[in-house]
Structure formats: C-alpha cells, structure tokens
C-alpha cells in the first residue's frame, strides 16, 4: 500500500509551485507552480517551427500530431517517429515534483533505459513566456543537471499541451508504433513523492511500455497525474 507523501515535502512543493496571484491546487492533485521568471524571447526559427495539433487527444485514438522547436530551435515533428513507441513527458524545471521524479523517483534513469531499447522520449515545456521555468537558460541547465539526453521541446503558446490535456508536470503520455495514444497520466503510483524503502511502487509508464513490447493491450490506460500545474 502506498504511503502518504510527507507533509513537509508537500508544504515546500506547494510554496515553490504557486505563482503570485494564482491559487494553490488541492494537495491530492499536485501544486500550482511559480517563481517569476523572465522568459527569453522566442527566436524566429522557433516561432516558425511550432505547429499546433488539429485534434484533441483521446485514449485509443491517433495521437495529435505536432511540430515544436527544441532548445536549439530545431523543429521536431511527432509524425516523423511513426513506427516507433513514443513517450511524451510534460516538464517544468522549476517544479519540485519534476525535480524529485528525476532525482529520486519514477523518472530517475528510466528514460535512458527505454531509449536504449528504441523508445523515443520527448519532454515538452508548455509554460507561457514569463511563467516559472520558461527561460532557455533554466531549461538548458535542468537538462544538463538531470542528465536528460533526449529533446526538450518548447510549446510556449500551450497549443500542444492543451490538445493533449496536459495538466501537471510531470504528465506522461505513451504512443504506440501505430501512432495511437495508449496511456495518459502519472509516471508512477507515488503521486510525486519519494518512495519509501518498503513501498511497492507501480511505474505506469514502465508497465505500459512492457505491455507494448509483449504485444498486449496496455492494462492501465489512464491515471491521475500529480504535480505542479502546467503554467499556460
């Protein structure tokens, strides 16, 4: 049985994740984030690279296609990965839940393991300019510190995040080789907290990828994501 997240962590996370003038989200659903940050102006190449999805994401339906720039302004198009399993990870370098997941939780070392097996892993930051964790410097630093060897895409208008219904950071999505969305929700069952030594943790993304590898339908298709609110 999963243990509750320590109140001290929740209090600190809520304080760090609440934008001035923005109400805190209920603890059961994560925290709203914040820390005023001046976003770097988008380069012309980045603006041209972004292309909003035309459809809304639904489990069992084709995942909405999109094109977004990475941190160097290079456009990345989801459709280019047709035939491969793709994981989307909503990201905010200033969110305590993101930091904990990468340093001690369900994202520690997990992306690298699956990338070695041929899975495509893409992080997406849908924060609006001026919101927490949106400057290029913050994102570059975070990818280096957290050992993220995969692309971090910038969705400053929030079109892709809204199309997928991304509400939290981290919020995870798994797309099968046919381009169908097969999982959406939390990274694991810890609800954003550091697992206790004796806690039985289910990593939902691991499980979904294992089902796909075995040629089976994904058993758990949706869970409630937990973390900071996406800073649209």
């Amino acid at each position: 049985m999963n243990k509750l997240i320590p109140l001290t962590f929740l209090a600190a996370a809520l304080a760090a994740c609440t934008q001035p003038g923005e109400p805190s989200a209920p603890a059961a659903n994560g925290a709203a984030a914040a820390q005023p940050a001046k976003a770097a102006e988008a380069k012309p190449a980045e603006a041209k690279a972004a292309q909003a999805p035309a459809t809304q994401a639904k489990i069992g339906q084709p995942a909405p296609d999109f094109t977004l720039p990475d941190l160097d302004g290079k456009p990345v198009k989801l459709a280019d990965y047709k035939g491969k399993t793709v994981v989307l990870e909503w990201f905010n370098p200033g969110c305590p839940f993101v930091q904990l997941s990468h340093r001690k939780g369900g994202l520690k070392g997990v992306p690298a393991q699956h990338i070695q097996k041929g899975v495509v892993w893409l992080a997406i930051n849908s924060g609006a300019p001026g919101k927490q964790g949106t400057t290029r410097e913050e994102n570059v630093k975070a990818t280096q510190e957290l050992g993220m060897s995969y692309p971090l895409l910038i969705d400053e208008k929030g079109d892709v995040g809204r199309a997928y219904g991304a509400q939290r950071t981290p919020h995870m999505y798994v797309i099968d080789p046919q381009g169908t969305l097969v999982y959406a929700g939390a990274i694991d069952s810890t609800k954003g907290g550091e697992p206790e030594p004796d806690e039985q943790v289910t990593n939902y993304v691991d499980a979904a990828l294992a089902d796909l590898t075995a040629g089976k339908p994904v058993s758990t298709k949706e869970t409630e994501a937990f973390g900071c609110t996406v800073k649209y």
Side-chain angles (χ1 to χ4, degrees):
M1 181 175 178
N2 291 343
K3 292 185 171 67
L4 295 176
I5 301 172
L7 292 178
T8 51
F9 169 74
L10 274 179
L14 284 167
C17 275
T18 303
Q19 195 100 272
E22 177 182 300
S24 298
N29 291 320
Q35 169 183 329
K38 183 179 180 182
E41 294 183 2
K43 299 176 183 177
E46 293 176 348
K48 292 179 181 179
Q51 181 180 334
T55 57
Q56 200 71 23
K58 291 182 181 179
I59 295 293
Q61 297 297 317
D65 190 24
F66 60 82
T67 301
L68 289 173
D70 65 14
L71 289 173
D72 294 320
K74 178 184 176 181
V76 175
K77 186 175 177 63
L78 179 63
D80 289 343
Y81 299 110
K82 191 74 175 287
K84 294 187 176 183
T85 298
V86 178
V87 175
L88 304 180
E89 169 199 341
W90 257 262
F91 183 82
N92 171 0
C95 174
F97 295 96
V98 168
Q99 290 285 335
L100 186 60
S101 293
H102 274 276
R103 296 180 187 276
K104 298 182 180 181
L107 284 168
K108 183 179 180 181
V110 171
Q113 294 173 10
H114 291 295
I115 290 170
Q116 288 180 349
K117 299 175 183 178
V119 172
V120 175
W121 202 289
L122 304 173
I124 300 176
N125 188 333
S126 292
K131 296 292 184 72
Q132 180 201 50
T134 56
T135 67
R136 184 179 186 280
E137 292 74 16
E138 288 175 287
N139 285 279
V140 169
K141 181 180 179 182
T143 58
Q144 293 172 345
E145 291 182 346
L146 300 176
M148 295 168 62
S149 60
Y150 47 97
L152 171 54
L153 311 182
I154 304 303
D155 175 36
E156 63 177 19
K157 291 183 178 179
D159 292 335
V160 176
R162 291 187 179 93
Y164 275 81
Q167 300 174 351
R168 305 286 170 184
T169 52
H171 203 149
M172 310 298 299
Y173 297 81
V174 178
I175 302 166
D176 72 11
Q178 289 71 49
T180 301
L181 183 64
V182 295
Y183 174 75
I187 178 67
D188 60 27
S189 58
T190 62
K191 294 188 178 298
E194 180 183 353
E196 297 292 334
D198 60 345
E199 184 178 359
Q200 296 299 310
V201 177
T202 298
N203 189 306
Y204 299 122
V205 173
D206 268 347
L209 295 175
D211 284 342
L212 290 178
T213 299
K216 301 188 300 183
V218 172
S219 55
T220 300
K221 296 177 173 61
E222 289 186 86
T223 61
E224 181 181 8
F226 193 95
C228 304
T229 55
V230 176
K231 299 297 175 255
Y232 293 116

